[in-house]
Amino acid sequence: MDPTQLRTVTRIPHLTYHPRIAALLLLLILGMDSAWAVSMTDDPKGFRDILWGTILSSRQDVEPFRSSTHVIEYLPKTDSLSFADTQMTSILYLSVDNQFARVTIRYQGSNVHKEVLAYLETRFGRLDRIPGQMTRGLTQQYNWRGSDTEINLTYQAGTERGYIFFDSRTLAPRFNDYITDSAE
């Protein structure tokens, strides 16, 4: 071969195997056994007849609980802490820039979780369970998406705690705009 035809060969660095990274990835995969997303069959466009974007400060059925510059949390005044015909630990209504954007519901117990999940499936759409997927695990996540509303349910089996978020798909992303490391 003619020396002028020799090319410079670039070496690709050798990738090394890191057992710690592999172990961490394995734990993450095992820890989150289920996650489904379902198209919502009947978008509520809000929560309990309060439409997304409503000015909560003008309503008589909620009272301010905690506030910052852009986010105000409200507690229901007359509404019991029930959802899906089951007692919840807490229900909070949140506004961002004075517009109703999210409801956060907390509950406790595996029986309550079964009731909540059955209600959400009946009201908003059956989950697509793929054969071989686990419906039980350390952390279970379920998601329903409508045109205006997104519902996220997370259940932690170890502590038997559940969290449900009803979010306005257009307003709730604004919460992320106000998350900072320092107080406003």
Side-chain angles (χ1 to χ4, degrees):
M1 180 180 271
D2 186 298
T4 58
Q5 293 178 342
L6 290 178
R7 294 184 197 161
T8 306
V9 177
T10 305
R11 298 197 85 190
I12 298 173
H14 185 276
L15 298 176
T16 59
Y17 172 74
H18 292 285
R20 289 182 190 164
I21 293 174
L24 178 62
L25 288 173
L26 181 62
L27 285 174
L28 287 172
I29 291 168
L30 292 176
M32 186 159 292
D33 289 328
S34 58
W36 294 283
V38 175
S39 291
M40 196 177 290
T41 56
D42 182 21
D43 192 320
K45 301 183 185 321
F47 185 79
R48 292 191 174 156
D49 299 323
I50 303 174
L51 297 177
W52 300 128
T54 298
I55 299 171
L56 292 178
S57 61
S58 66
R59 296 187 58 94
Q60 300 299 312
D61 54 348
V62 294
E63 60 185 337
F65 170 65
R66 197 174 9 209
S67 66
S68 66
T69 305
H70 297 280
V71 178
I72 303 173
E73 296 178 6
Y74 294 86
L75 291 171
K77 280 185 181 178
T78 57
D79 189 15
S80 67
L81 292 179
S82 69
F83 176 75
D85 296 325
T86 308
Q87 190 67 23
M88 301 292 112
T89 305
S90 71
I91 298 177
L92 287 174
Y93 296 73
L94 287 85
S95 68
V96 62
D97 294 329
N98 211 24
Q99 294 180 308
F100 178 43
R102 173 177 287 160
V103 173
T104 303
I105 302 172
R106 292 178 175 89
Y107 63 89
Q108 182 78 38
S110 61
N111 289 334
V112 174
H113 173 65
K114 290 174 189 171
E115 293 288 326
V116 166
L117 188 56
Y119 171 81
L120 290 172
E121 282 192 289
T122 301
R123 175 77 170 76
F124 300 110
R126 304 286 308 160
L127 295 169
D128 296 327
R129 291 189 170 91
I130 299 168
Q133 274 188 320
M134 293 181 65
T135 59
R136 295 179 293 168
L138 297 176
T139 302
Q140 301 169 34
Q141 289 190 312
Y142 308 93
N143 182 273
W144 290 262
R145 286 190 188 109
S147 58
D148 295 315
T149 306
E150 185 163 346
I151 301 171
N152 293 292
L153 179 142
T154 300
Y155 180 69
Q156 299 168 340
T159 59
E160 293 188 1
R161 289 186 185 156
Y163 306 90
I164 309 165
F165 297 94
F166 280 74
D167 285 328
S168 162
R169 291 191 65 189
T170 56
L171 295 171
R174 290 169 47 193
F175 286 111
N176 293 335
D177 295 340
Y178 302 119
I179 296 173
T180 63
D181 291 336
S182 60
E184 292 185 47

